[in-house]
Amino acid sequence: MAIRLENITKTFGTVHANHNISMEIRRGEILSLLGENGSGKTTLMNMLSGIYYPDAGQIYVDGREVSIRSPKDAFDLGIGMIHQHFKLVDVFTAAENVILGLPERGRVNRRTVAKKVREICERYGFEVDPNQKVYDMSVSQKQTLEIVKVLYRGANVLILDEPTAVLTPQEADKLFAVMRRMRADGKAVVIITHKLHEVLSVSDRVAILRKGEYVGDVPTREATELSLTEMMVGQKVSLNIDRPEPVNPRRRLSVEHLSIVNAEGVKVLDDVSFECNSGEILGIAGISGCGQRELLEAIAGLQREEPGSSIKYYPPAGGEEELTLCTPRQIRDHGIALSFVPEDRLGMGLVGGFGMSDNMMLKDYNNGHSFFTDRTRPRELAARIKEDLAVQTPDLITPVRKLSGGNVQKVLVGREIAAAPSVLMTAYAVRGLDINTSYTIYRLLNEQKKKGVAVIFVGEDLDVLLELCDRILVLCAGRVNGVLDGRSAKKEEVGLLMTNLNKKGEGAA
Amino acid sequence: MDSFISLIQAAVVFGTVIMFGAVGETLTEKSGNLNLGVPGIMYLGGIASLTGAFFYESAVASPNAILCVLIALVCGVGASMLGGLIYSFLTITLRANQNVSGLALSIFGSGVANFFGGSLNKLAGGVGQISVASTSAAFRAQIPLLSGLGVPGRIFFSYGFMMYLAIVIAILMQCFFSYSRAGLNLRSVGENPATADAAGINVGRNKYLATCIGAGISGLGGIFYVMDYTKGTWANDGTIEKLGWLAVALVIFTRWKPKNAVWGAYLFGMMYWLYFYISGLTRSTQELFKMLPYVVTIVVLVLVSLRKKREDQPPEHLGLAYFREDR
């Protein structure tokens, strides 16, 4: 046994982030820590890595009671954590980041460090160039560097906080291989993740938290997706995503020959044409960075389209409107809503320092003719969203950046839906969300669909796209590489279209 | 020719004041603290060194030159570091807004200095009557043989020891940032304190040390100005303040690299004095020339922003407070 926690409690203000938690972390084992957003997983692990200090309870490392007051104490005990937000200095090289804060004094000997970094890489099969600057690295490279950094410090206990949230499936598989190698090396590995299939494939044991309390642990071989979800949520759940038949679909939006050239002069969208209909969910699949973001932004009026592009909107009342040269506000006033969840969640759509009600106001502060803003309606709306989506926040004026990631997303998606759009675009709406909240979001999207809204759903998880969407448009390198029927398409088929560009450039189906 | 040499000499003297200010401020900013109190800190250094020297010289009959210099330096650096400590306490411990704290320190420093400067003048019996002749002479002592070498002697060796000290400190500072682990750790604090914290670096300690030592170095500029340029007198004309702001501008101009301050400071000094050596300027056209250092700083900012090179950017967390349990 590597670490034992006894009766750990941590409160923030009046909120119990962790309450009386007792659990074990063992050597030679991969432990999954599972729980809904805001259930206190990260807080608990932060107490092992020295970021937080428990209000009550004991931590034993190798049977000895310890007090971890700072990250340095954690390193000294051989505990290393890879945080969800990378702790790397962008302007430093990989090697400089690795040796940061180590107790050695005097000159930096870059050659020795580089040599030792290469040794670690060879041992575990990493590819890290010690002299590469972090700002030149991809997300996956940064994560690898984080792991190298922890191993360089001789960590025996590795904690990974949602490591796969930003990785492609291939990169995630590579990471799992590394984790298995570390387990074989006798290290204790803890992984925090929401993706149940990852939990089942990589871990040996699953520990579950619910609302800051420890529910229990089970060996992974005895667990199923359903049993884990029930432990997490605390009640019976169904893991089927609903897919009602589209009722009376009408053309709502048509995109023709859309091309976008970005600031670096790269053509990120190339002659994209498609249509989307009311009462239908159109899924957009593709490897990340294939133009999904630009496509949605173009429709929302945030991109400059190349000549020849045309985006037309067909209001439910009839007629047609050209959107190509409209301002974002004009487009929004037509009833086209965009909720984009970027990698850092707060980047677009919400103001981190504002509370929930002020964020509601961002969209409609300009309505009405009074000199003063109307604060009552946004407050009511915020209260309703908090109620409907079970947003966990002490009150409506707490800055949203203080909420956990999942709750931030509920606020964003909730606000967009509340605008009663006729076209609703969401991108990565469930990114980093726990399974229960994800299902809440799917349910909300389905409700919109039943109301006759045209929903565009950009997703990452192919299983979800195949279960939720009526049609799936596959983007590959900025081109439409095919449109499939959601009910009959096979996962392999979509995967193939995502990676292999169809040379003929099939248009809208 | 003569006027060109005296332009260079004037540029070097003012450049040295600016260089001290800028190198100290660079150290502070590398820790993520944007201390706009440089003018105030220079004031504090100047007045404290003058006060210390004044009381020492009036207490003993024949002042010892080495002791004179030591007392002036200890008083001046001590007072500047105290200024840095006030700023550190406000911004690091209390997490007050850095811009406001820095500006307050600037106003506070100039107020304190001019108050005590006036008092000293009164004690000495009138403006310009303060006599710290021995101390000033020690500060202004030139290298005996080299300074008599004609034109090269006048250009390179007609200064007191602090002019060379400034260059040495700037170069040492550059080496500290580039090659030492402590420098690497300090830079990480200014770039990304959460990362530094997670790596086991004591963020608060690094910030306190960098800010206080940085203030001490900036204060040397004030000491040099008072002891060397004004020959140990106090004039309430606001020149120190101007030089202090130029030091802040120079930090940007050097792109946070002290090695660039070595030539950049003299360039600033030259631009400061240029109006004085160009004939035919009226009072109003003079002002155009006095803008030069600031115009150049803006041009550098524009060029740097256009090139978008990450290494030329200010420390990423500059101006922001850090609190570990914040999210």
Side-chain angles (χ1 to χ4, degrees):
Chain A
M1 188 199 311
I3 295 180
R4 190 152 52 89
L5 302 175
E6 271 185 15
N7 305 320
I8 295 287
T9 295
K10 175 78 184 173
T11 51
F12 293 107
T14 54
V15 182
H16 270 288
N18 287 145
H19 187 63
N20 251 343
I21 292 184
S22 303
M23 63 179 284
E24 280 174 10
I25 296 169
R26 298 174 194 150
R27 283 197 201 290
E29 182 186 77
I30 299 176
L31 172 73
S32 283
L33 192 57
L34 199 60
E36 292 185 69
N37 297 114
S39 61
K41 306 175 299 278
T42 304
T43 308
L44 184 66
M45 289 300 115
N46 271 335
M47 283 189 274
L48 287 182
S49 66
I51 301 284
Y52 296 147
Y53 190 76
D55 297 335
Q58 294 86 41
I59 300 173
Y60 297 88
V61 175
D62 296 325
R64 199 162 46 86
E65 183 172 352
V66 294
S67 146
I68 307 174
R69 295 201 164 268
S70 72
K72 204 183 153 303
D73 292 350
F75 289 138
D76 294 344
L77 293 166
I79 302 170
M81 178 154 170
I82 287 118
H83 296 268
Q84 199 175 352
H85 303 284
F86 298 134
K87 306 268 187 198
L88 295 171
V89 178
D90 278 353
V91 290
F92 285 9
T93 64
E96 284 172 335
N97 267 291
V98 167
I99 58 164
L100 202 61
L102 289 180
E104 284 118 274
R105 302 201 150 266
R107 274 188 69 132
V108 179
N109 193 335
R110 293 192 162 79
R111 207 167 299 153
T112 335
V113 178
K115 197 167 147 253
K116 212 168 151 195
V117 168
R118 285 203 189 91
E119 277 170 22
I120 294 176
C121 293
E122 272 169 34
R123 185 150 157 219
Y124 291 97
F126 299 129
E127 284 157 27
V128 171
D129 172 8
N131 298 319
Q132 194 179 9
K133 291 271 168 107
V134 172
Y135 59 73
D136 277 334
M137 292 185 179
S138 70
V139 177
S140 143
Q141 280 175 309
K142 286 183 193 174
Q143 189 173 57
T144 313
L145 175 58
E146 284 275 29
I147 297 172
V148 171
K149 196 168 115 183
V150 169
L151 291 174
Y152 187 94
R153 280 148 211 259
N156 290 316
V157 180
L158 271 103
I159 304 165
L160 299 111
D161 189 359
E162 291 192 38
T164 58
V166 287
L167 299 186
T168 62
Q170 290 80 1
E171 288 168 336
D173 284 341
K174 253 194 190 166
L175 174 70
F176 295 153
V178 167
M179 287 168 61
R180 291 193 185 100
R181 237 166 295 162
M182 291 191 284
R183 172 179 63 189
D185 224 25
K187 298 189 187 302
V189 183
V190 180
I191 175 173
I192 301 178
T193 176
H194 292 301
K195 299 179 185 168
L196 290 173
H197 63 93
E198 291 178 359
V199 171
L200 293 173
S201 75
V202 78
S203 69
D204 303 305
R205 192 162 59 96
V206 193
I208 293 150
L209 295 185
R210 188 198 313 146
K211 297 197 168 83
E213 309 222 11
Y214 189 67
V215 177
D217 64 337
V218 282
T220 307
R221 57 176 189 282
E222 292 169 18
T224 63
E225 291 208 9
L226 196 64
S227 72
L228 291 177
T229 311
E230 284 176 4
M231 278 179 89
M232 228 161 78
V233 181
Q235 63 195 38
K236 290 264 175 222
V237 290
S238 146
L239 284 183
N240 295 319
I241 303 176
D242 218 23
R243 177 161 49 191
E245 282 293 324
V247 179
N248 190 17
R250 284 274 177 73
R251 183 170 61 171
R252 204 31 58 82
L253 197 69
S254 85
V255 172
E256 274 162 36
H257 309 298
L258 175 65
S259 298
I260 304 267
V261 175
N262 69 7
E264 278 87 50
V266 179
K267 211 166 194 182
V268 280
L269 282 182
D270 188 5
D271 197 19
V272 169
S273 301
F274 68 94
E275 285 180 354
C276 70
N277 305 325
S278 64
E280 173 193 88
I281 297 184
L282 173 69
I284 295 183
I287 299 168
S288 68
C290 271
Q292 295 97 320
R293 180 186 192 128
E294 288 79 6
L295 176 60
L296 297 200
E297 286 186 355
I299 297 172
L302 300 171
Q303 289 276 354
R304 186 194 292 262
E305 298 94 350
E306 291 295 294
S309 310
S310 157
I311 303 172
K312 285 198 178 71
Y313 170 63
Y314 303 90
E320 68 170 61
E321 308 267 356
E322 180 65 46
L323 297 186
T324 321
L325 290 171
C326 291
T327 64
R329 173 167 291 157
Q330 286 169 331
I331 292 174
R332 200 192 64 203
D333 290 343
H334 281 310
I336 296 171
L338 169 65
S339 85
F340 189 94
V341 179
E343 278 173 31
D344 59 358
R345 284 177 180 163
L346 277 174
M348 234 171 118
L350 297 176
V351 177
F354 282 8
M356 266 182 81
S357 19
D358 284 359
N359 269 304
M360 298 301 137
M361 288 180 68
L362 289 180
K363 286 219 121 170
D364 54 7
Y365 66 94
N366 221 12
N367 293 357
H369 297 287
S370 164
F371 178 74
F372 298 102
T373 50
D374 174 12
R375 286 186 170 273
T376 328
R377 276 191 305 161
R379 205 177 306 130
E380 284 165 5
L381 175 60
R384 205 166 69 229
I385 290 174
K386 179 174 187 275
E387 186 76 15
D388 288 353
L389 304 188
V391 179
Q392 285 176 16
T393 169
D395 50 48
L396 300 178
I397 51 171
T398 305
V400 290
R401 79 182 138 79
K402 296 207 168 172
L403 310 185
S404 77
N407 286 310
V408 171
Q409 263 154 273
K410 286 189 204 168
V411 175
L412 178 63
V413 176
R415 184 188 67 190
E416 296 307 320
I417 289 176
S422 66
V423 177
L424 176 64
M425 300 187 277
T426 65
Y428 313 119
V430 297
R431 179 177 261 166
L433 290 191
D434 62 63
I435 194 145
N436 208 29
T437 319
S438 303
Y439 277 75
T440 310
I441 301 238
Y442 302 145
R443 182 172 55 77
L444 289 169
L445 293 179
N446 268 326
E447 271 171 23
Q448 294 300 306
K449 169 182 170 181
K450 279 186 229 162
K451 277 188 196 159
V453 173
V455 180
I456 301 180
F457 179 86
V458 176
E460 290 166 304
D461 190 336
L462 285 187
D463 293 316
V464 171
L465 280 165
L466 289 168
E467 276 188 69
L468 179 72
C469 303
D470 300 297
R471 287 187 303 145
I472 299 172
L473 181 148
V474 187
L475 279 180
C476 180
R479 298 182 73 111
V480 177
N481 209 23
V483 178
L484 304 166
D485 182 74
R487 285 171 180 77
S488 61
K490 293 276 169 304
K491 196 172 171 181
E492 293 69 32
E493 203 180 346
V494 181
L496 210 61
L497 283 175
M498 276 167 66
T499 45
N500 297 321
L501 186 62
N502 187 338
K503 285 283 180 274
K504 279 177 281 176
E506 212 174 300
Chain B
M1 187 65 193
D2 240 23
S3 77
F4 180 69
I5 290 175
S6 50
L7 169 62
I8 289 191
Q9 287 177 325
V12 168
V13 170
F14 268 36
T16 302
V17 178
I18 301 171
M19 201 192 303
F20 276 123
V23 171
E25 177 65 6
T26 306
L27 179 63
T28 305
E29 292 194 11
K30 282 285 183 189
S31 78
N33 273 354
L34 179 64
N35 187 354
L36 293 179
V38 180
I41 284 166
M42 284 185 162
Y43 262 123
L44 289 176
I47 193 62
S49 67
L50 185 61
T51 314
F54 177 76
F55 283 112
Y56 172 64
E57 288 202 20
S58 46
V60 293
S62 54
N64 174 316
I66 294 177
L67 216 53
C68 283
V69 170
L70 274 183
I71 287 177
L73 284 181
V74 168
C75 291
V77 172
S80 315
M81 289 179 78
L82 211 60
L85 191 64
I86 296 174
Y87 175 86
S88 304
F89 180 72
L90 285 173
T91 60
I92 304 167
T93 306
L94 302 181
R95 294 194 287 275
N97 181 295
Q98 295 191 5
N99 298 338
V100 176
S101 308
L103 290 174
L105 184 61
S106 265
I107 299 165
F108 169 79
S110 94
V112 167
N114 284 320
F115 173 75
F116 284 105
S119 311
L120 275 187
N121 275 333
K122 230 177 222 164
L123 276 180
V127 175
Q129 298 297 306
I130 304 172
S131 174
V132 288
S134 311
T135 313
S136 174
F139 270 98
R140 292 168 59 81
Q142 302 175 359
I143 307 173
L145 286 169
L146 293 172
S147 51
L149 283 179
V151 172
R154 286 170 65 194
I155 293 181
F156 296 108
F157 302 110
S158 63
Y159 316 99
F161 73 93
M162 282 188 81
M163 177 266 183
Y164 309 99
L165 180 68
I167 301 176
V168 171
I169 290 182
I171 292 170
L172 285 180
M173 189 71 73
Q174 184 69 54
C175 296
F176 171 72
F177 289 146
S178 304
Y179 302 115
S180 75
R181 281 182 186 259
L184 188 72
N185 290 353
L186 175 70
R187 274 161 57 209
S188 75
V189 168
E191 291 288 341
N192 193 334
T195 296
D197 199 7
I201 297 167
N202 188 332
V203 174
R205 206 177 76 132
N206 266 282
K207 279 182 164 247
Y208 259 97
L209 277 176
T211 308
C212 291
I213 295 174
I217 295 172
S218 294
L220 287 172
I223 301 175
F224 179 77
Y225 177 82
V226 168
M227 289 301 168
D228 196 296
Y229 181 70
T230 66
K231 304 187 181 70
T233 56
W234 189 260
N236 187 359
D237 65 353
T239 310
I240 292 188
E241 185 164 354
K242 280 185 215 159
L243 294 177
W245 291 123
L246 277 177
V248 175
L250 183 65
V251 175
I252 300 166
F253 179 87
T254 61
R255 285 159 288 134
W256 291 267
K257 291 180 186 70
K259 63 177 180 200
N260 293 338
V262 175
W263 58 270
Y266 298 141
L267 182 70
F268 270 39
M270 183 99 86
M271 289 188 287
Y272 186 99
W273 281 118
L274 203 54
Y275 76 94
F276 203 77
Y277 294 92
I278 290 178
S279 50
L281 292 180
T282 63
R283 265 190 113 74
S284 46
T285 44
Q286 269 184 16
E287 297 300 322
L288 290 176
F289 277 85
K290 286 182 187 170
M291 292 190 325
L292 271 176
Y294 303 98
V295 172
V296 170
T297 303
I298 293 172
V299 169
V300 167
L301 264 180
V302 169
L303 290 180
V304 166
S305 306
L306 281 180
R307 269 174 54 205
K308 286 190 184 133
K309 205 173 152 215
R310 288 297 296 269
E311 282 77 5
D312 287 345
Q313 302 303 316
E316 212 175 304
H317 218 254
L318 184 63
L320 305 169
Y322 173 66
F323 177 45
R324 184 189 284 170
E325 301 209 355
D326 203 14
R327 29 193 272 174

